[in-house]
Amino acid sequence: MKINKIQLVFLLLFTISFNFLTAQEIPRILSDKKIMKENYLPNFSYAGYQFGEKEIPNSKGKIILATDFGVVANDGLDDSKNLIKAIEAASSIEGNVVLQLPVGRIILSEIIYIERSNFVLRGAGTGIYGTEIYFPRPLMYVKDPEDLKELREYLIKFDKRQREKENNIDLPFSQYAWTGGFIWTRVPNVRVKSYLQEYEEPYNVLAKAISGKKGEFSFEVSDVKNLKKGDVVLLQLFNKEGENGEIISELYQKADVKVGSHHWNFPDLPLVNQQVVITSISKNRVTIKSPLTIDIKPNYNAQLVAWKHLNEVGIEHFKITFPPSPRVAHHVEPGNNGIYLTRVFNSWVNDIVIENADSGILTEEIANTTIKNIITQGTNMAHYTVAMAGVHNVLAENVKVFNNAVHPLSFNTFSTKNVYLNCEIYVNPILDQHSGANHQNLFDNISVYLNPNKDRSYPLFAGGGAGYWKPSHGAYSTFWNINVNLLSGLDISSPILLNGMKDGTFARVIGVHGNHAFTINYGPNSYIEFTNKSIDKVPSLYEYQLNKRLKK
């Protein structure tokens, strides 16, 4: 069939019009080459268990019944000693092990440490016929953990106190304000976080990293003799150039913001960390599984060091409950903390309900872990719900927050390339970025429910953290397809202002929309697009990038 000139013109016009309309349905940061080149957008698709390439496993292995070691549900007696016996017995078995908890309520008042790989702590579910772990008293009544000795000394040495004259409060910080949990993964005798110089030990340096480019997968190293394919190692980058260090300029892209003194007062501590998996080695070049977060330059003194961790640890299918308790003050939390994840890789937490916690799930020094299907609820005022601190490539998916929390969702110090995906915050939502060289994190397809202030604004993007770690975040942190639902104020004729972030640099704020018109005021050099539009064609940036990478 032949096409005449008129038909050809019509076809061309139709194609151009269709492509234009389609492009309008996709943010320009994904569809316009010029915009894409000028506005770097990180690839977040490597977050999660097995780099997002595999589902959380239904782990199989030898099943150990906690009831065989004296754990009895619904008897009103403390089960701590017997559950610890069950953990010890399970830990002595080679291969994959599942420790199965019984149906009903079990009572615990001691910390349960998980210290081995290929281990799953599994309940019977979160419903009426599931497993409930009840903690009748907070961590402050547990024997002080040896792991937090350095933190306790730090809090005393620097007189860390919560001072609120208007509330007649002058109280010392709790060691459990941002650390610790009754269910605690750890590598024994390995320090999780640095607080004091006197505890520093030499790094086990495997190679010096010489040069590499942000977003790329290979870089030059000094020597490969201590490296091999499949290794999981830690890439560290330092600022040894003081207040005007080039790495600071790169982190914040020379934005006009005040940078806190912790960025240069500790030159022997890495300012940027990234857990990497070596996929190949060729001469003096190493290729890794996920892209570099920033450039590697000689003056960053970058190095690859050994990283001790656990693999394939799962915590799943139960409810955690604390009793209702009054709130004293911020940072003075008594330690109603559920789960503390440290030193795990390719691991997961799945299907957990947490009630009345000070902090539901805290994290530190973990990577490529998925935290999925979490509900936090209760009458207590929480500090955190599911928090990310000092972690890399962590995916928190389908987190539902029904309780009041200071930081409902939070990217904290040293967090990079992490994702909150398909989450909902129903009470006083804040999408918190908490200072401390955190950068390139993603809030993706999040729904929030809020009441605007009297001045027709709401601080949705408020950032926390201490001044010595400011600004609130580094370059390229991203908000994608944020659904804002007003619970009141729908009769307000003018747009509601969403603000709260004054010093977060070079953010990408794309697709903020909802049941009212909004305007956005964000920190310096932010890229803002698709305001008051839902990104229906690409509702999740993470899933879009993952499907593109996997060619689905």
Side-chain angles (χ1 to χ4, degrees), residues 44-73:
F44 296 100
S45 71
Y46 293 86
Y49 175 79
Q50 295 286 349
F51 297 93
E53 297 168 6
K54 295 181 181 180
E55 293 294 325
I56 293 173
N58 183 14
S59 289
K60 297 179 181 179
K62 185 172 180 59
I63 296 178
I64 303 297
L65 300 178
T67 52
D68 289 346
F69 296 85
V71 175
V72 179

Side-chain angles (χ1 to χ4, degrees), residues 390-458:
V391 301
H392 180 66
N393 275 349
V394 173
L395 173 66
E397 181 178 0
N398 194 28
V399 177
K400 298 184 186 300
V401 180
F402 292 100
N403 57 309
N404 207 356
V406 178
H407 310 300
L409 300 179
S410 179
F411 293 120
N412 218 304
T413 309
F414 296 142
S415 292
T416 55
K417 299 298 283 288
N418 306 291
V419 179
Y420 284 108
L421 171 65
N422 299 340
C423 299
E424 298 175 82
I425 311 173
Y426 289 90
V427 183
N428 296 327
I430 297 291
L431 303 180
D432 175 55
Q433 297 180 89
H434 212 71
S435 307
N438 67 81
H439 59 284
Q440 297 184 42
N441 297 298
L442 169 65
F443 290 102
D444 190 13
N445 199 32
I446 309 296
S447 292
V448 299
Y449 300 81
L450 57 88
N451 293 295
N453 297 328
K454 291 181 180 180
D455 64 356
R456 301 176 184 180
S457 71
Y458 187 87

Side-chain angles (χ1 to χ4, degrees), residues 72-89:
V72 179
N74 301 324
D75 63 351
L77 300 177
D78 193 291
D79 297 287
S80 301
K81 303 295 185 187
N82 291 330
L83 184 58
I84 290 171
K85 289 179 184 176
I87 292 273
E88 291 173 349

Side-chain angles (χ1 to χ4, degrees), residues 326-345:
R327 182 173 187 260
V328 177
H330 193 43
H331 293 127
V332 190
E333 293 81 7
N336 292 307
N337 296 349
I339 298 171
Y340 188 36
L341 297 176
T342 74
R343 296 276 175 177
V344 291
F345 180 80

